[in-house]
Amino acid sequence: MKRARVIGTGSYLPEKILTNFDLEKMVDTNNEWIIARTGIEQRRIAADSENTSDLATKAAERALEMAGIGAEEIDLIVVGTITGDYPWPATACIVQNNLGAKNAYAYDVSAACSGFVYALSNATDFLEAGRGQKALVIGSEILSRVIDWSDRNTCVLFGDGAGAVVLDLQEGEAGVLSTHMHSDGSYLELLYQPGFSTRNLPTPEAIADPQNYTLKMQGNEVFKVAVRSLTEVSKEALAANKLSHKDVDLFIPHQANRRILEATAKRLKLTDEQCFINVNKYGNTSGATIPIAMDEAYRQGLLKEGSLVLMAAFGGGFTWGSVLLRW
Ligand code: UT7
């Protein structure tokens, strides 16, 4: 059987580091609270000159380099992002042009923190349907530009970054085993960004009030649904493949909050060694957390041929999903 196999990973994190101590000077918060409630110690912030497509391009170049292939070999580029360069065209089209991937078609997926797993699922379906040989899947975000920096409930949580993987359709046991995606639009108001679009026009009055365009979240409500959904969708992936939690070599969950990850891992009966956590270094980079984590895990030697990797994400929409793959 042919499967979509990961043959390259790459990530890019902007240089600027914003620590909890920096945030103490900006809002009424403190390092102890942030670490105790979220596990986050610092996050990266994109330079003014950097766009979401630039972060994505750098991560993609590293993934292509590891895969040892040229950009013209890519048939499809999907970018999971909610902070794209423009409302349209897709950031993926800008990345395509930056890379010179002239044989690829390109589009974005808007699924908030689940953007990368949704994109990975799309690209897997595309390859398995025989529509192409190689795909580039990217998660890239500059959340620092849509955050209310005066709101301590949200500004301590998020960061900027990008991660990418190259998929290649190959015969054998390695590759994506299954994907399971879900949505529930009834939860919109618990986590969303009003922004300026057809529903909310940029009148001078609207522009004057950041409440009209910054991210909104009812954190503790989101927390409960996130733990439940991440657990259920992970179990769904294992059951569909007749595998157990003991078979998982590495669980790579969306990095939103250390407590969410630990509560989910506990419900799944996973040990600390099975669970990859780097939220302490980068905070929540939304659609970029999983590919950044996958790249770090690979480069740390945690992913070897035959490793069973379980990914699960949850985000605004609500959207959630899991991908199970054999490395
Ligand atoms: O990416 C997917 C979507 N996002 C998530 O998954 C995030 C989900 N939610 C969370 O991670 C957590 O709910 C938070 C980290 C956002 C908040 O943690 P919490 O334990 O749920 O705290 P809380 O919102 O219930 O707030 C507890 C207290 C409040 O004070 P009072 O009302 O008890 O006096 C907050 O005002 O902590 C206060 N607080 C803060 N204090 C210091 C909230 N933010 C801060 C802060 N520094 N930055």
Side-chain angles (χ1 to χ4, degrees):
M1 181 182 176
K2 284 191 169 178
R3 295 187 192 282
R5 184 175 190 178
V6 176
I7 60 164
T9 65
S11 58
Y12 172 75
L13 281 310
E15 239 172 74
K16 184 179 169 188
I17 293 174
L18 187 73
T19 67
N20 294 348
F21 300 104
D22 295 326
L23 282 163
E24 285 182 358
K25 297 178 198 131
M26 296 161 64
V27 284
D28 180 15
T29 191
N30 57 75
N31 179 51
E32 293 72 29
W33 189 96
I34 302 172
I35 290 186
R37 300 293 182 115
T38 73
I40 300 167
E41 292 160 29
Q42 58 182 49
R43 65 289 292 143
R44 300 296 180 98
I45 306 293
D48 290 347
S49 58
E50 287 180 311
N51 296 306
T52 298
S53 61
D54 299 320
L55 274 54
T57 302
K58 286 182 178 151
E61 284 169 347
R62 291 171 186 176
L64 288 169
E65 188 186 337
M66 175 178 152
I69 63 163
E72 71 288 347
E73 289 183 58
I74 297 293
D75 301 303
L76 170 69
I77 300 173
V78 194
V79 177
T81 187
I82 46 165
T83 52
D85 290 22
Y86 302 104
W88 58 272
T91 296
C93 293
I94 302 170
V95 174
Q96 182 224 16
N97 186 48
N98 289 349
L99 294 173
K102 57 183 189 301
N103 297 311
Y105 83 94
Y107 62 90
D108 290 352
V109 165
S110 173
C113 302
S114 308
F116 177 77
V117 295
Y118 268 49
L120 189 54
S121 180
N122 274 198
T124 299
D125 291 346
F126 166 83
L127 295 180
E128 288 182 355
R131 302 284 306 281
Q133 179 61 41
K134 290 182 175 61
L136 186 55
V137 185
I138 305 170
S140 185
E141 306 281 12
I142 300 189
L143 286 152
S144 62
R145 293 191 193 152
V146 301
I147 295 300
D148 178 353
W149 286 103
S150 66
D151 175 16
R152 69 175 184 174
N153 291 291
T154 53
C155 76
V156 302
L157 302 172
F158 298 96
D160 305 336
V165 303
V166 178
L167 295 179
D168 185 30
L169 189 67
Q170 291 186 5
E171 198 70 53
E173 296 304 307
V176 175
L177 304 180
S178 67
T179 69
H180 292 89
M181 302 297 134
H182 301 278
S183 308
D184 186 342
S186 67
Y187 287 105
L188 183 148
E189 288 186 0
L190 292 188
L191 179 56
Y192 76 113
Q193 185 200 339
F196 293 124
S197 197
T198 51
R199 195 168 184 140
N200 190 21
L201 293 174
T203 60
E205 301 76 43
I207 292 169
D209 183 359
Q211 292 311 314
N212 287 316
Y213 52 83
T214 51
L215 181 151
K216 308 276 169 285
M217 180 170 73
Q218 290 180 37
N220 39 23
E221 292 303 316
V222 175
F223 191 111
K224 287 179 239 165
V225 189
V227 172
R228 192 171 67 231
S229 306
L230 288 166
T231 305
E232 282 171 7
V233 82
S234 299
K235 286 184 175 170
E236 189 179 10
L238 293 172
N241 292 279
K242 298 189 172 49
L243 292 165
S244 103
H245 62 279
K246 291 182 188 150
D247 297 311
V248 175
D249 291 297
L250 201 63
F251 178 47
I252 306 183
H254 165 51
Q255 310 280 314
N257 177 329
R258 191 179 188 105
R259 284 161 55 220
I260 293 181
L261 309 190
E262 288 176 348
T264 305
K266 193 173 168 200
R267 283 166 175 72
L268 292 171
K269 300 195 177 74
L270 296 170
T271 62
D272 290 353
E273 291 66 38
Q274 285 171 294
C275 190
F276 191 85
I277 297 184
N278 65 359
V279 70
N280 54 313
K281 292 193 291 184
Y282 309 126
N284 180 349
T285 56
S286 186
T289 67
I290 290 182
I292 291 171
M294 204 196 302
D295 185 45
E296 287 204 340
Y298 173 74
R299 290 173 201 273
Q300 287 171 21
L302 297 174
L303 298 174
K304 302 194 173 65
E305 204 169 324
S307 295
L308 187 71
V309 185
L310 173 63
M311 291 168 249
F314 177 87
F318 286 159
T319 56
W320 63 104
S322 60
V323 177
L324 193 67
L325 71 81
R326 183 76 63 192
W327 195 259

